[in-house]
Amino acid sequence: MNQISIYHKMNNSRLYAIGLVQILCLFIFSPLSLGQGYGVKTIVIDPGHGGKDPGATGHKGTKEKDLVLDVALLTGSYIEKNLPDVKVLYTRRDDTFPTLKERCDFANNAKADLFISIHANAVSSTRAYGTETFVLGSNKSENNLRVAQKENSVITLEDNYEEKYEGFDPNSEESYIIFNFMQKGFQEQSIRLATLIQNQYTQRVGREDREVQQGALWVLAATSMPAVLTELGFISNPAEEKFLTSKKGKEYMASAIFRAVREYKNDIDSKQSTAYSSNETEMMNISIENTQKSTSTDKSTPTQQSEVPVYKLQILSSPQIIDSKHTSLQGLETLSFYKDGANYKYTIGSSENLKDIITLKKEYKQRFKGCFPVAFYKGKRIPLSEARKLSPNN
């Protein structure tokens, strides 16, 4: 291949990668995802493969799709029994074939707080063994690339997959360039859950630890919440296949995932409780680090008892408090929120003059489509029509 051909090939790959990154960002940082990250109220469990996709095949003919469905349903039953305040949803409960996109859309539409995809491994050698759990990242080893290609390859079973996945080819190493540009908004939480799962596998069930890995896995990239993909073991290994297909083996592995979820939930709940107790007054006006200084019009927050109405620009609404370090909130000045019913509503700017907020809206309307001015008087939100009557500047 000559140098010109190589250049065009690399350039096309970059253009493709950038375009697909923009598409994936619509999934990852969509408004649906912004309320997640605090509290564990809904968990989506994803038994890999299914239907016309059997997944890996074991030494003695075990089908991955059947094994992981059994473990997934057991895991969910343990969570429902021991964590009754948590809703458990499944991407499939029988031998059906939801596409990767459908699995991700299901979790995103459910506004899940966790996504756990359960799989089993297999290679040509019968000697490979052990458990590993993946979070989103670039393929840093041949093994990680192999796993990513295997798990992503199911898209080729879908009709018109080239169009649905914007030309992504799971078998082409060039396609994985896109994942080098991506940063998951919930990486820290995902790693925490993955670590807890691996600890349970190794310390409580006695499985071999292949550690937490990073991989370019589509279901982890397109889900808008902390997400992991866990490999229960190698069904290509006779000993592991025997253990994993036994009643005890399935119960032990499901119990390990449940215990990890419980510990993760306890961690998140304790942090959330601390945040609420310490931030009832402080977090009603969130200061974002490394931003520009507030403008001169920034005179009030909704909690202050101003004698004239104060106007702000409402940009987001969320059922939960959003982490102030979330990508969607970075670079904002004078960010604050107020609670309205069950939702937390986020605003930027603060002025006694409505014209200032209308100007601010023009600046941010592309970033936050549907943003609009709101008014507060003596600490309470009031209609704009009423605020205009009370305001000397409008």
Side-chain angles (χ1 to χ4, degrees):
M1 184 179 293
N2 59 41
Q3 290 183 341
I4 295 176
S5 298
I6 293 173
Y7 169 80
H8 283 300
K9 186 176 182 182
M10 292 177 66
N11 191 49
N12 288 339
S13 295
R14 290 192 184 98
L15 290 174
Y16 157 76
I18 293 169
L20 192 49
V21 168
Q22 292 173 338
I23 291 165
L24 285 175
C25 284
L26 293 178
F27 288 107
I28 298 169
F29 299 120
S30 65
L32 281 174
S33 72
L34 299 179
Q36 294 143 1
Y38 283 85
V40 180
K41 299 177 182 177
T42 302
I43 298 174
V44 168
I45 299 178
D46 173 44
H49 309 281
K52 62 183 178 181
D53 172 26
T57 302
H59 181 72
K60 293 186 177 181
T62 301
K63 293 180 180 179
E64 179 184 1
K65 67 174 184 177
D66 299 327
L67 168 62
V68 299
L69 179 60
D70 289 345
V71 174
L73 294 176
L74 272 174
T75 301
S77 69
Y78 294 152
I79 294 173
E80 290 172 328
K81 180 180 179 180
N82 295 281
L83 300 173
D85 58 327
V86 175
K87 179 193 290 187
V88 178
L89 302 173
Y90 303 88
T91 57
R92 68 179 181 96
R93 298 184 65 107
D94 50 24
D95 190 21
T96 53
F97 175 67
T99 67
L100 293 191
K101 186 177 185 304
E102 288 170 343
R103 296 170 196 260
C104 299
D105 288 348
F106 176 77
N108 292 338
N109 291 335
K111 299 182 181 179
D113 302 297
L114 283 181
F115 178 85
I116 302 171
S117 191
I118 302 177
H119 291 253
N121 231 327
V123 292
S124 56
S125 171
T126 60
R127 291 184 292 182
Y129 64 101
T131 64
E132 55 193 355
T133 301
F134 283 81
V135 299
L136 180 66
S138 58
N139 300 312
K140 296 183 177 180
S141 69
E142 280 297 317
N143 173 68
N144 291 9
L145 176 61
R146 177 190 62 78
V147 172
Q149 289 178 323
K150 176 175 74 78
E151 303 301 353
N152 291 333
S153 67
V154 300
I155 71 173
T156 62
L157 299 176
E158 302 176 29
D159 296 332
N160 301 318
Y161 77 88
E162 297 95 339
E163 182 178 347
K164 290 180 183 177
Y165 295 90
E166 299 293 330
F168 177 77
D169 180 359
N171 297 312
S172 169
E173 291 189 27
E174 290 181 352
S175 285
Y176 289 88
I177 294 173
I178 61 168
F179 293 94
N180 294 330
F181 296 100
M182 297 174 62
Q183 292 183 348
K184 182 74 170 179
F186 301 102
Q187 186 80 344
E188 183 179 344
Q189 297 101 312
S190 299
I191 292 173
R192 174 58 176 159
L193 176 60
T195 301
L196 291 172
I197 290 174
Q198 284 300 120
N199 289 345
Q200 288 293 331
Y201 286 159
T202 57
Q203 297 172 15
R204 297 292 294 273
V205 190
R207 312 314 294 167
E208 177 68 18
D209 186 12
R210 294 172 66 94
E211 301 180 341
V212 174
Q213 304 287 343
Q214 291 191 15
L217 296 155
W218 190 278
V219 291
L220 303 184
T223 42
S224 301
M225 69 282 304
V228 301
L229 185 149
T230 187
E231 300 277 2
L232 301 173
F234 286 80
I235 55 177
S236 53
N237 180 301
E240 283 210 324
E241 180 183 23
K242 181 179 180 180
F243 171 76
L244 290 172
T245 55
S246 69
K247 183 175 182 292
K248 181 176 77 171
K250 292 175 184 178
E251 290 174 347
Y252 279 12
M253 298 305 281
S255 181
I257 299 172
F258 152 69
R259 287 193 299 268
V261 168
R262 181 175 61 186
E263 186 172 350
Y264 175 91
K265 181 181 185 301
N266 289 340
D267 286 350
I268 294 296
D269 287 351
S270 64
K271 290 177 182 177
Q272 183 180 19
S273 177
T274 301
Y276 272 109
S277 62
S278 64
N279 292 327
E280 278 297 321
T281 55
E282 295 176 13
M283 283 200 64
M284 288 306 288
N285 186 58
I286 306 174
S287 294
I288 303 297
E289 296 179 359
N290 302 319
T291 59
Q292 299 175 356
K293 292 183 178 180
S294 301
T295 64
S296 60
T297 58
D298 180 25
K299 299 179 180 178
S300 179
T301 70
T303 55
Q304 293 175 324
Q305 302 297 307
S306 176
E307 292 302 316
V308 294
V310 173
Y311 299 94
K312 292 176 175 284
L313 183 67
Q314 186 164 307
I315 56 172
L316 296 170
S317 179
S318 165
Q320 298 171 346
I321 292 179
I322 305 171
D323 188 342
S324 61
K325 295 181 180 179
H326 192 283
T327 306
S328 64
L329 300 183
Q330 291 184 3
L332 297 176
E333 298 178 4
T334 61
L335 178 68
S336 62
F337 69 80
Y338 66 99
K339 192 168 184 181
D340 182 11
N343 292 321
Y344 296 90
K345 300 188 175 181
Y346 284 75
T347 66
I348 56 174
S350 179
S351 176
E352 294 175 1
N353 193 324
L354 178 58
K355 293 180 181 179
D356 293 334
I357 302 304
I358 292 174
T359 300
L360 192 64
K361 178 183 177 181
K362 293 178 181 178
E363 180 182 348
Y364 283 95
K365 67 179 181 180
Q366 293 301 319
R367 181 172 175 182
F368 299 104
K369 298 184 185 302
C371 61
F372 58 93
V374 289
F376 299 89
Y377 181 62
K378 294 186 176 181
K380 295 182 179 180
R381 181 178 167 183
I382 61 173
L384 285 178
S385 59
E386 183 179 341
R388 288 194 185 99
K389 294 176 182 178
L390 296 170
S391 178
N393 299 320
N394 298 279

